[in-house]
Amino acid sequence: MEKLKKQLPIITPIFIAIVIIHSLFVDYTVQFPDYIAAETSESAMESMKPKVISENGVLNRISYLESFLVELESRELPVDTEQEETKDNIKRVLVGQKLLLGLSLFYLLLTFSTAVSYAFRVWFHKSLAHVFYPVSFLVLAPKVFFQLNLMLQKEVLSYFYFVFLVFTYVITIISYRLILKNKELAEGFQSLQFSSSLEEEGRSPSNTKTGSIFAPVFHVAIIILIGILIGNLIYIPLFLLQKHYVTEFSYFIFFLLGLLSLFYIFNYKKVGGEPNSNNWKNLAVSFAYLQFRFLRNSFWAVFSTILIVLFVTFLFSLLLFNIDLIQNHLGLFGKATEF
């Protein structure tokens, strides 16, 4: 029993990953009646009830929208058919579906990172668990609701999937409780905590001695020259690429992000990998650490943005309050207009 408790937080992400993969191909939505019937018969009342229906997942929706957009652009339609507005609406929906696909894939990779970090007792495994399991509760709950409604609609396959979802939800709760109650100190891959220091990333400390007065001028000139070259050789071509080739540019950006992620993964492996562990273990932990860093930086970015927005809103509110106070009670603006 104790062995099962230790293995359960490793097994649970596998079940959640199966649910995520299934949702990429099959999705569920609530269909409301198109009209309200005036009849009071049993069949009319039954047709007025909202129903849960299965539909294509995000992958199939993206494929359908892309093919429909290509077909729409290939046809020659009259000018007054508002073709451009229709294409813009489809493109916006397509962008939203691609963002949903990106979030789903990131969540799918998070299942791997959570299981790996717990299995190897990495020091940040609880931080990943605090993100992964609450999100899983929110993701699984509506799916259980949909399957329950499909069972009421006499869908045979929904019975099996409902049992699977309930089982997954229960072991998710148990796994999260086990992680929270586990007081064992996780000290695996401690060197990754210092991966951002200069010495561990292979960079030597900068030389602080003062030189000639022409050195700063030379550095500024080099920076300006590099900026001009980057602007003309990189920024302007990228701008034209994303303007005229939106799909190709998005694939190019994802390719660059993949290369950057690989660079960081191998860098973390070199910096924080344990010499007694094999390469695959070090690579898996490095990937989990990259996702942990991404989540942590995203949290601080969102938190900082919210604080800045609240602070600016407070300043403007205070400014408007002062203007209203001066205008209504002191009458300075009214006296100024008399001159």
Side-chain angles (χ1 to χ4, degrees), residues 91-323:
K91 288 180 180 179
R92 281 194 289 268
V93 174
L94 186 59
V95 169
Q97 293 298 316
K98 288 183 178 180
L99 289 176
L100 179 60
L101 176 61
L103 291 175
S104 300
L105 293 178
F106 183 83
Y107 182 40
L108 181 62
L109 295 175
L110 186 60
T111 61
F112 171 78
S113 300
T114 306
V116 165
S117 61
Y118 178 83
F120 299 139
R121 295 299 188 272
V122 187
W123 57 271
F124 56 85
H125 80 91
K126 282 193 175 182
S127 299
L128 286 180
H130 290 324
V131 176
F132 174 71
Y133 285 102
V135 171
S136 299
F137 296 148
L138 297 177
V139 170
L140 292 174
K143 295 183 180 297
V144 174
F145 167 77
F146 287 145
Q147 296 305 314
L148 183 61
N149 281 268
L150 286 173
M151 289 171 59
L152 298 177
Q153 296 171 199
K154 309 300 182 181
E155 293 286 342
V156 178
L157 294 178
S158 62
Y159 290 92
F160 300 99
Y161 196 41
F162 175 77
V163 173
F164 179 80
L165 287 175
V166 171
F167 176 76
T168 304
Y169 202 91
V170 171
I171 63 173
T172 301
I173 296 174
I174 297 174
S175 299
Y176 192 39
R177 285 178 57 86
L178 290 175
I179 292 175
L180 293 179
K181 290 185 176 181
N182 187 9
K183 303 301 181 181
E184 181 182 352
L185 187 61
E187 297 181 346
F189 294 84
Q190 286 286 341
S191 56
L192 283 174
Q193 295 189 44
F194 314 103
S195 61
S196 60
S197 62
L198 294 176
E199 292 79 10
E200 289 185 347
E201 289 191 355
R203 295 177 292 177
S204 59
S206 59
N207 191 2
T208 57
K209 67 178 183 178
T210 58
S212 173
I213 192 174
F214 296 103
V217 178
F218 177 74
H219 291 164
V220 171
I222 292 296
I223 291 173
I224 293 175
L225 179 61
I226 293 175
I228 293 174
L229 292 176
I230 291 176
N232 287 276
L233 299 179
I234 298 179
Y235 287 160
I236 294 178
L238 285 179
F239 173 76
L240 296 176
L241 181 64
Q242 66 89 21
K243 183 178 180 181
H244 299 286
Y245 304 95
V246 179
T247 304
E248 291 79 2
F249 179 76
S250 60
Y251 292 151
F252 179 67
I253 291 297
F254 282 119
F255 174 73
L256 292 181
L257 288 176
L259 289 180
L260 185 63
S261 300
L262 288 176
F263 167 76
Y264 274 106
I265 289 172
F266 282 100
N267 189 37
Y268 291 147
K269 173 183 173 294
K270 180 181 178 181
V271 171
E274 293 184 347
N276 298 328
S277 303
N278 55 46
N279 290 330
W280 291 109
K281 180 179 178 179
N282 289 329
L283 284 174
V285 174
S286 299
F287 176 81
Y289 182 67
L290 175 64
Q291 203 161 21
F292 164 73
R293 287 285 299 269
F294 181 84
L295 288 172
R296 186 179 64 180
N297 294 340
S298 300
F299 170 77
W300 284 114
V302 172
F303 183 71
S304 302
T305 303
I306 293 175
L307 285 182
I308 292 172
V309 171
L310 291 177
F311 180 71
V312 172
T313 304
F314 172 75
L315 287 181
F316 274 100
S317 301
L318 186 62
L319 178 62
L320 293 176
F321 175 76
N322 290 335
I323 292 175

Side-chain angles (χ1 to χ4, degrees), residues 29-93:
T29 185
V30 179
Q31 186 181 49
F32 294 93
D34 296 331
Y35 63 93
I36 299 177
E39 302 178 7
T40 58
S41 61
E42 184 177 351
S43 60
M45 296 297 293
E46 187 69 24
S47 63
M48 291 172 58
K49 293 181 180 179
K51 294 182 179 180
V52 175
I53 59 173
S54 60
E55 59 182 15
N56 292 328
V58 62
L59 288 176
N60 294 326
R61 289 199 297 267
I62 290 175
S63 177
Y64 173 76
L65 288 173
E66 287 180 343
S67 60
F68 180 73
L69 190 61
V70 170
E71 184 179 357
L72 186 63
E73 290 178 345
S74 63
R75 292 183 178 181
E76 294 184 0
L77 299 177
V79 181
D80 58 348
T81 55
E82 299 181 353
Q83 181 181 3
E84 293 299 326
E85 184 178 354
T86 303
K87 289 194 295 185
D88 291 339
N89 293 332
I90 295 175
K91 288 180 180 179
R92 281 194 289 268
V93 174

